[in-house]
Amino acid sequence: MFHNEQIHRTAREQSAADMGCSADDFLKSESVVTDFCLGKKARVYYQEPIACHFVSYGSNVVAAAKPDVKEIAAEYVKRYDHYHLFETPNCLWLNEKLARFGQKVCFMAYYFLPDVRKLTRLDCRYETRLLHPKDFEPLYTKAWRNALCADRKELDVLGVGAYDGGRLIGLAGCSADCETMWQIGVDVLPEYRRQGVASALTSRLAVEVLAHGKVPFYCCAWSNIPSARNAVKSGFLPAWAEMTVKPADFVEKANAVDGERKTG
């Protein structure tokens, strides 16, 4: 059975593998700047090119950067308190400095981990069923794009569906994004929201993931208040934040596409 310190240590170790630093770097009182190295065991959704990656577990910020922007990253973490490094005015300063290297701030996200003291299987008024990969094939549609990832179907390993009669009205799915941690995403049809469906699905799936010997984690954008509330109601607490710098043309292409990413 996992306890909270194991869960948080696993997450820190994974973040270290994602960017090429030490897991202990996230516990230091001073921010750390290091060389970026996308490890072989990094989460699958991290794709080069990445110029710089910032991660905070609350004590500091670890900035892993490629050589051409490492000096800028070092100046950035020295210029502002670590808890201000993900705020828009300061990010704009960073963007301006990165412009001459053809780079921009891209992804920003808020991550949650389960609190085993609070996590319990919640109920809703609808029937819920445990689902497996063989059940997912007809579900790769826009309605379930947060719960499942059509681009990485082979990683969707477990799910929980909510049914009104025979109709699927809510779905939580998890993807094996790395060896030790599975990411949970959830969708509920608009007419069935605010009825406790999302938290029932998320909490049950989190319990199932832990039973499989993996650490569940949950991600949402800063401004996705309903999603953040669902995380907390389901037994999760804020754990870490990330910000990724990528080439400007990648950012421009992303802005031109109407789509959502499971990690942000």
Side-chain angles (χ1 to χ4, degrees):
M1 180 64 181
F2 284 96
H3 54 73
N4 283 343
E5 177 50 36
Q6 283 179 301
I7 288 172
H8 282 257
R9 184 170 64 248
T10 298
R12 293 193 301 270
E13 289 172 349
Q14 184 57 51
S15 290
D18 295 337
M19 57 199 302
C21 65
S22 166
D24 292 336
D25 287 340
F26 301 106
L27 299 178
K28 295 178 179 178
S29 58
E30 298 295 326
S31 290
V32 174
V33 180
T34 187
D35 294 323
F36 179 81
C37 178
L38 189 63
K40 292 182 179 180
K41 294 186 176 182
R43 274 171 271 231
V44 295
Y45 50 79
Y46 294 123
Q47 299 288 327
E48 292 278 20
I50 296 174
C52 192
H53 192 57
F54 299 85
V55 176
S56 176
Y57 278 81
S59 298
N60 68 351
V61 165
V62 177
K66 294 290 180 64
D68 56 344
V69 298
K70 189 175 180 181
E71 185 175 336
I72 295 173
E75 183 180 358
Y76 187 54
V77 300
K78 184 178 180 180
R79 185 181 181 92
Y80 304 106
D81 292 325
H82 74 270
Y83 45 84
H84 290 310
L85 292 176
F86 298 85
E87 293 180 351
T88 304
N90 302 336
C91 290
L92 293 176
W93 180 94
L94 178 61
N95 245 7
E96 290 175 3
K97 295 292 184 178
L98 292 168
R100 65 191 177 97
F101 296 96
Q103 305 290 335
K104 283 186 176 182
V105 173
C106 186
F107 300 123
M108 298 178 70
Y110 202 25
Y111 288 83
F112 298 75
L113 290 171
D115 182 344
V116 295
R117 299 166 300 181
K118 298 180 179 181
L119 179 65
T120 187
R121 179 174 164 176
L122 302 176
D123 295 320
C124 66
R125 59 182 292 188
Y126 301 100
E127 175 195 3
T128 62
R129 305 175 194 167
L130 193 62
L131 303 176
H132 298 89
K134 62 181 175 61
D135 304 307
F136 297 153
E137 193 53 44
L139 304 180
Y140 288 99
T141 65
K142 187 175 181 179
W144 315 118
R145 63 182 177 181
N146 289 307
L148 301 174
C149 182
D151 293 334
R152 298 190 293 269
K153 293 181 180 181
E154 71 281 2
L155 299 180
D156 291 330
V157 290
L158 198 63
V160 178
Y163 294 83
D164 185 1
R167 183 190 184 199
L168 181 66
I169 57 94
L171 177 65
C174 61
S175 55
D177 290 336
C178 57
E179 183 178 333
T180 59
M181 303 178 72
W182 291 357
Q183 181 179 187
I184 292 177
V186 62
D187 291 291
V188 178
L189 297 181
E191 62 269 33
Y192 289 91
R193 293 172 186 169
R194 298 181 180 271
Q195 299 182 47
V197 177
S199 57
L201 298 176
T202 303
S203 62
R204 179 178 176 185
L205 187 54
V207 169
E208 295 285 349
V209 171
L210 288 170
H212 279 72
K214 306 296 182 180
V215 171
F217 69 103
Y218 185 103
C219 173
C220 71
W222 308 116
S223 57
N224 194 340
I225 304 303
S227 186
R229 285 178 173 169
N230 175 59
V232 173
K233 184 178 179 181
S234 300
F236 286 71
L237 290 175
W240 80 95
E242 297 187 3
M243 180 170 70
T244 307
V245 172
K246 291 183 76 69
D249 60 351
F250 178 93
V251 178
E252 290 163 7
K253 289 177 182 177
N255 283 333
V257 177
D258 179 19
E260 295 184 11
R261 297 173 181 80
K262 196 171 180 182
T263 56

